[in-house]
Amino acid sequence: MKLIVADDFFSDFERIENEFKKIKLHNTESFNKLSGEKQNWPGLRSLRLDQESPFLFNLTVKELNEKLQFGKLMGNKKFNFFLHTHLRLNEDQDWIHKDHSYCSIIVYLNTNLDSGTAFFHEETNEPNMIVNAVKNRCILFDSSVRHKSLKNYGNDLNDGRLTLNGFFFLNG
């Protein structure tokens, strides 16, 4: 599995869309202090969704299993995973990186066709694929694939790049 794109990830997304915007977001300093972690990323991120909104966490798990058949796709391996909402604004600068997990998901919570995620060749800094930020589009990818968010995020919660980010770690 390198990259899977699934549109219409959440059923009845319009009914839950505003729930994501109610979740408190933190800069890296505040996040690290509250979570006891040492992470670095641009923008604002929520604490773990299982703590901030158990309903949205469980709904995401349900959709992963129903829409992507996640367990079957992953060979029924056991995972620990963490979900966060993440907001990036115009002043935020991303960089090409790999996630430190087994696989990752991004669900775009708004549409901004000037934004999205670029995936890069291992040998060069040239993108080999770009996935546009379309509301309710989910991308599942191997965390070892180099990627970065695209610019033109917006200025606030309503037009910035708002995503649901998930990181899956093999259990055991």
Side-chain angles (χ1 to χ4, degrees), residues 21-110:
K21 294 179 181 179
K22 294 177 184 177
I23 298 170
K24 184 169 174 58
L25 300 170
H26 306 274
N27 63 26
T28 53
E29 182 181 342
S30 172
F31 177 92
N32 288 336
K33 185 176 181 180
L34 291 167
S35 68
E37 299 181 38
K38 292 186 179 182
Q39 295 191 23
N40 186 30
W41 28 257
L44 303 170
R45 183 175 282 182
S46 72
L47 295 175
R48 291 180 15 200
L49 205 62
D50 59 318
Q51 298 167 347
E52 297 294 302
S53 178
F55 167 75
L56 290 174
F57 177 84
N58 289 318
L59 181 61
T60 304
V61 171
K62 174 188 147 317
E63 298 292 13
L64 278 167
N65 286 319
E66 287 182 7
K67 300 282 174 49
L68 301 180
Q69 277 126 38
F70 185 77
K72 189 176 186 180
L73 183 67
M74 295 294 133
N76 294 313
K77 296 176 179 128
K78 301 291 183 202
F79 287 92
N80 290 324
F81 64 99
F82 306 100
L83 297 170
H84 306 270
T85 54
H86 195 123
L87 176 66
R88 292 189 180 160
L89 303 173
N90 277 329
E91 67 265 15
D92 298 321
Q93 297 292 319
D94 199 4
W95 51 87
I96 298 173
H97 64 279
K98 297 178 183 180
D99 295 334
H100 301 288
S101 55
Y102 182 79
C103 65
S104 303
I105 66 164
I106 298 171
V107 180
Y108 301 106
L109 300 175
N110 57 11

